[in-house]
């Protein structure tokens, strides 16, 4: 299956290690967005579907997507088939989530 989403280059520089966001700094809605993207196929989803899935008002969704994008965790994307705006979990976002989930799994394994 081809990837329908084409990443949009926003000219944001690549993140440095200092730019990593500790998971505790992400609010509940932000985490819901990150986890939904992490569990979705190819780590991407339309903004409309994401808002519907999480039952989040559009203005709240746009606030959180902007906040997450400012921290290089997600990136805007455009669906090449229907032109709908979507969101993709960035490589940095995927690394942050993978590290967090691995640490969480390690804590559970120690019990």
């Amino acid at each position: 299956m081809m990837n329908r989403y084409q990443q949009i280059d926003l000219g944001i520089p690549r993140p440095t290690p200092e730019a990593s966001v500790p998971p505790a700094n992400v609010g509940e809605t932000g985490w819901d967005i990150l986890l939904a993207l992490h569990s979705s196929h190819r780590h991407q989803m339309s903004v409309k579907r994401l808002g519907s899935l999480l039952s989040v008002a559009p203005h709240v969704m746009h606030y959180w997507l902007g906040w997450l994008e400012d921290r290089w965790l997600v990136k805007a994307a455009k669906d090449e088939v229907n032109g709908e705006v979507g969101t993709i979990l960035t490589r940095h976002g995927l690394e942050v989530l993978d590290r967090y989930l691995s640490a969480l799994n390690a804590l559970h394994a120690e019990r």
Side-chain angles (χ1 to χ4, degrees):
M1 178 182 218
M2 283 186 51
N3 185 351
R4 295 181 1 180
Y5 288 91
Q6 175 186 18
Q7 289 192 16
I8 301 168
D9 184 8
L10 299 176
I12 297 172
R14 293 194 50 80
T16 62
E18 298 82 31
S20 293
V21 178
N25 289 350
V26 180
E28 185 177 339
T29 301
W31 267 113
D32 289 346
I33 291 168
L34 292 174
L35 292 172
L37 289 172
H38 189 269
S39 65
S40 68
H41 182 67
R42 298 183 192 225
H43 308 296
Q44 61 193 27
M45 196 176 297
S46 74
V47 173
K48 185 177 179 178
R49 169 124 171 81
L50 195 55
S52 174
L53 180 69
L54 301 177
S55 298
V56 175
H59 70 281
V60 174
M61 178 62 67
H62 288 289
Y63 166 82
W64 276 105
L65 289 175
W67 192 92
L68 294 168
E69 192 168 20
D70 287 348
R71 284 145 186 89
W72 303 299
L73 297 168
V74 301
K75 188 172 187 176
K78 186 176 181 179
D79 186 317
E80 294 177 342
V81 173
N82 63 16
E84 192 171 34
V85 175
T87 300
I88 295 176
L89 192 60
T90 64
R91 183 179 310 173
H92 175 66
L94 186 57
E95 289 169 0
V96 168
L97 276 169
D98 285 345
R99 279 193 311 268
Y100 176 77
L101 294 173
S102 291
L104 190 61
N105 284 336
L107 285 174
H108 286 291
E110 290 176 7
R111 289 184 180 187

